[in-house]
Amino acid sequence: GGPKTFHQTPLYPYFVAAVYAVSNFDDTMVAYAQAFVGAFTCLLTFLLASRVLNLRAGIIAGLLLAFMSSYYFYDAFVLRDGPMAFVVILTTLALDVAVERNRKRDWLLAGASLGLFTLAKETGIPLLLATLFVMLIAWRHRPKFLMQTAALLLAGWLIVTAPAFARNVAVGAPTFKLSTRG
């Protein structure tokens, strides 16, 4: 990164750079890496739909995503929309697991997934704020529980996003502005 705000959020460009670094700048490896992430997204979609609805819905949801032609397009032409679907499903699944199990580790992981979302899409910070607002509404009568879960969520988010914010401070860019499009 240079001395200015990124043109787009940094997760996808860093993902592509990491694949290039380990593949000796082989363009096809980026498409293969995205195809792997896409296949994993189909699995996560199956898991999420199975948790929220039932096994049959999970199978149908996973297969619908797997056979959606535009999803292949995103990976074949190395567009960030394919891996973005992974981050959306991962975040949704992580939040669902955290609410259901209510373990500290799960709230940290949910926060980390929101951090990945923040690094992947300009709407990450508003999504974090919306999540905290829903938690406030849902657990307003349990202030100690609310504070603990919100702190864990924010800690997970900060662990993932802090390097990008620190980079912005170091180069003189606005701290929480991750792209010129945000």
Side-chain angles (χ1 to χ4, degrees), residues 151-162:
L152 289 166
L153 189 81
L154 285 170
W157 181 80
L158 277 171
I159 288 168
V160 173
T161 57

Side-chain angles (χ1 to χ4, degrees), residues 72-90:
Y72 291 109
F73 177 83
Y74 298 142
D75 294 339
F77 287 97
V78 190
L79 300 171
R80 77 177 184 155
D81 298 88
M84 187 62 214
F86 167 77
V87 175
V88 169
I89 297 297
L90 178 70

Side-chain angles (χ1 to χ4, degrees), residues 8-29:
Q8 66 179 15
T9 50
L11 185 64
Y12 185 68
Y14 283 167
F15 167 76
V16 172
V19 173
Y20 275 154
V22 298
S23 70
N24 202 21
F25 295 93
D26 184 355
D27 290 334
T28 58
M29 291 307 292

